[in-house]
Amino acid sequence: MMKELFYLSGVLAFLVIFFVSIFAPTKGQTRIWLWSLLKIGFFCSLFYSWFTDNIVLKWILIEASTLFGALLISSSGTERSFHVGWKFLLINSYALGLAFLGIVILLFASTPLENLDFETLKQGLVGQSGLLIETGILLTVYGYSGKLGLVPNHFWVGDTYAESPSQISSLIASFVPVSVVLAIRPLIQLEREINPHMINAANGILFIGILTILYSTLILFSREDIRRISAKVALFHTGMLTLFLWLDVSDEVFYFLLSTTVLVKLLVFISMGILRMDAGKRNISQILETSSLSHKALYMYLLALLVAFVFPLSPVFVLDLKVIEIAIRQKMFFLFLFPIVGAVFFFIALNKVLPLVRLPNRNFESSVYGILQTRLVFFWFSFLFTVCVGTYGLTYLMAEYIWKR
């Protein structure tokens, strides 16, 4: 059931982004239908990668999204966005090149295969050289981690989300991480069977995931740009994905995690786009110098941050409960640190944004009133769907505690 929920969440999230880009585009956006076709190409390549077990085709589809993404990033038409698009293309292509090298090594180490499905490859690797297989898995996982935007290949993340229209940022942040994690997970599960040593891909990706979480939390102190604050929220949640990969949670929890990733990042970037367009500025210090601000736009952003971390009916809150449950059952009490770090991140972000409440309230800026009203409708639809998913996850994944008499 959770797998179907994930597919539904992905389709609905894309439709929200697509309709926002058509009916409420970024101010000054031109050639909307051309960019809409690229958005469809971006989504279709990643969406199809969710269903294929062919490891080479999955890589090709994820690499295709890199090209589509680079073009979409440059849709703003500014010199800065053009440079960022190239940066996105080069770093992601470098990372995926390493992943492809790892896949080639795995295919070389395997016996001849009838097809390139992962299960067939797994059977072909039985009895083959352990070191060669471990090297292939390590290269593949590390290469894909660059596409995720994990430290040390995270340099494209901040600029991409800061210089792209909010719809593009939402599209990339929502769909790239879940697609890459789906490609990584079976490789990590395979390595658990053949490599019990401390140095392995699972421990390695957890390590760089923790570095990513700490980096995004610490760097948040120096950020005043609401676009870059949103980018750090996305980066933090991407880092948290590695924890669940390392824990090797059940399929039900895993697909619920993917649904959560898609929906939370959708909310954060839609609300950020509303606040950014209404304020007319990006830096909080500059917004505070204006005479007024729509508190409606501000509260949407605060609500999205709340859902992304501590809102009781948020899917993120349910996942924190699962982490705590795993910590208690398996006596891995260090796992309590992850929900705590999430709460710390939230309060830092809240401390950054909350001073905007001091500005006098007004209605949406008249020049973009229709656009923001349309976006507001899509935000509320996304919020209600996210809360419904969180409520369902709470009653389903935590049923033994809720319904226990």
Side-chain angles (χ1 to χ4, degrees):
M1 183 62 188
M2 286 298 178
K3 183 183 288 189
E4 288 75 15
L5 179 63
F6 166 54
Y7 297 148
L8 176 62
S9 300
V11 171
L12 287 179
F14 173 71
L15 290 176
V16 167
I17 295 169
F18 185 74
F19 289 142
V20 165
S21 66
I22 293 177
F23 299 114
T26 301
K27 191 176 180 181
Q29 182 75 63
T30 59
R31 295 182 291 180
I32 293 174
W33 287 106
L34 172 61
W35 300 121
S36 296
L37 290 175
L38 285 175
K39 291 184 182 77
I40 293 173
F42 178 90
F43 171 72
C44 288
S45 62
L46 291 180
F47 188 67
Y48 185 59
S49 75
W50 298 355
F51 297 92
T52 181
D53 290 325
N54 186 310
I55 60 170
V56 175
L57 178 58
K58 190 182 289 284
W59 180 91
I60 291 171
L61 292 168
I62 293 174
E63 174 64 6
S65 74
T66 302
L67 176 59
F68 288 125
L71 294 172
L72 288 169
I73 291 167
S74 62
S75 64
S76 298
T78 64
E79 183 179 356
R80 176 66 176 164
S81 66
F82 181 75
H83 290 161
V84 172
W86 270 108
K87 186 177 183 178
F88 174 86
L89 180 63
L90 292 174
I91 295 179
N92 280 268
S93 295
Y94 153 75
L96 288 174
L98 291 178
F100 187 71
L101 177 60
I103 292 172
V104 169
I105 292 174
L106 289 175
L107 293 174
F108 175 78
S110 171
T111 57
L113 304 176
E114 295 181 1
N115 55 61
L116 296 176
D117 289 351
F118 182 78
E119 286 301 322
T120 305
L121 174 64
K122 184 177 178 180
Q123 294 173 7
L125 293 174
V126 174
Q128 305 304 312
S129 171
L131 180 60
L132 198 60
I133 296 172
E134 291 165 16
T135 301
I137 293 175
L138 187 63
L139 276 173
T140 306
V141 170
Y142 178 72
Y144 274 133
S145 75
K147 181 68 176 178
L148 273 175
L150 299 177
V151 172
N153 298 308
H154 62 285
F155 299 105
W156 63 267
V157 176
D159 287 342
T160 295
Y161 298 155
E163 302 303 327
S164 307
S166 58
Q167 312 98 286
I168 307 303
S169 300
S170 181
L171 195 64
I172 294 173
S174 296
F175 293 104
V176 168
V178 297
S179 304
V180 174
V181 166
L182 280 168
I184 290 176
R185 189 183 186 222
L187 293 170
I188 290 180
Q189 290 175 330
L190 171 62
E191 192 185 36
R192 288 182 185 277
E193 300 176 11
I194 63 175
N195 183 15
H197 304 103
M198 180 67 68
I199 301 177
N200 56 38
N203 290 337
I205 199 168
L206 176 65
F207 176 71
I208 61 177
I210 292 173
L211 290 180
T212 303
I213 291 170
L214 295 176
Y215 166 80
S216 59
T217 304
L218 293 174
I219 207 70
L220 186 64
F221 281 103
S222 61
R223 290 292 176 260
E224 293 289 333
D225 186 337
I226 58 173
R227 282 183 174 272
R228 292 192 178 272
I229 290 173
S230 302
K232 294 301 172 284
V233 173
L235 191 61
F236 181 93
H237 281 286
T238 301
M240 288 295 291
L241 289 173
T242 64
L243 172 64
F244 289 89
L245 284 173
W246 183 78
L247 289 173
D248 194 22
V249 294
S250 67
D251 286 348
E252 296 294 300
V253 176
F254 179 70
Y255 282 103
F256 182 75
L257 168 70
L258 299 186
S259 300
T260 302
T261 301
V262 169
L263 295 173
V264 165
K265 292 183 179 180
L266 172 69
L267 280 178
V268 168
F269 283 100
I270 284 184
S271 61
M272 182 273 292
I274 293 173
L275 178 59
R276 162 70 181 88
M277 188 173 289
D278 179 76
K281 296 179 176 61
R282 296 166 47 158
N283 289 333
I284 292 176
S285 58
Q286 294 176 340
I287 298 175
L288 286 170
E289 294 173 358
T290 59
S291 58
S292 59
L293 179 71
S294 171
H295 284 188
K296 190 161 43 175
L298 174 59
Y299 291 149
M300 293 306 99
Y301 190 61
L302 291 174
L303 183 59
L305 290 178
L306 196 69
V307 170
F309 292 98
V310 295
F311 188 68
L313 293 179
S314 165
V316 175
F317 183 78
V318 179
L319 291 171
D320 284 343
L321 292 179
K322 290 301 295 184
V323 170
I324 292 171
E325 178 194 12
I326 294 171
I328 294 173
R329 287 191 171 184
Q330 300 186 17
K331 293 182 170 53
M332 295 189 295
F333 297 111
F334 69 92
L335 294 179
F336 282 104
L337 292 173
F338 288 91
I340 292 172
V341 172
V344 170
F345 187 100
F346 168 72
F347 285 112
I348 296 172
L350 186 65
N351 185 62
K352 290 281 184 181
V353 180
L354 206 54
L356 296 177
V357 175
R358 298 199 303 262
L359 290 172
N361 183 31
R362 58 163 169 76
N363 208 338
F364 284 139
E365 186 67 36
S366 58
S367 61
V368 290
Y369 182 85
I371 292 176
L372 295 186
Q373 281 292 116
T374 304
R375 290 191 180 192
L376 190 61
V377 171
F378 283 111
F379 173 85
W380 280 116
F381 170 78
S382 304
F383 171 77
L384 292 174
F385 183 75
T386 303
V387 169
C388 288
V389 169
T391 304
Y392 173 74
L394 184 65
T395 56
Y396 184 85
L397 298 178
M398 308 300 293
E400 62 181 299
Y401 304 103
I402 294 175
W403 311 118
K404 187 176 180 180
R405 296 182 179 179

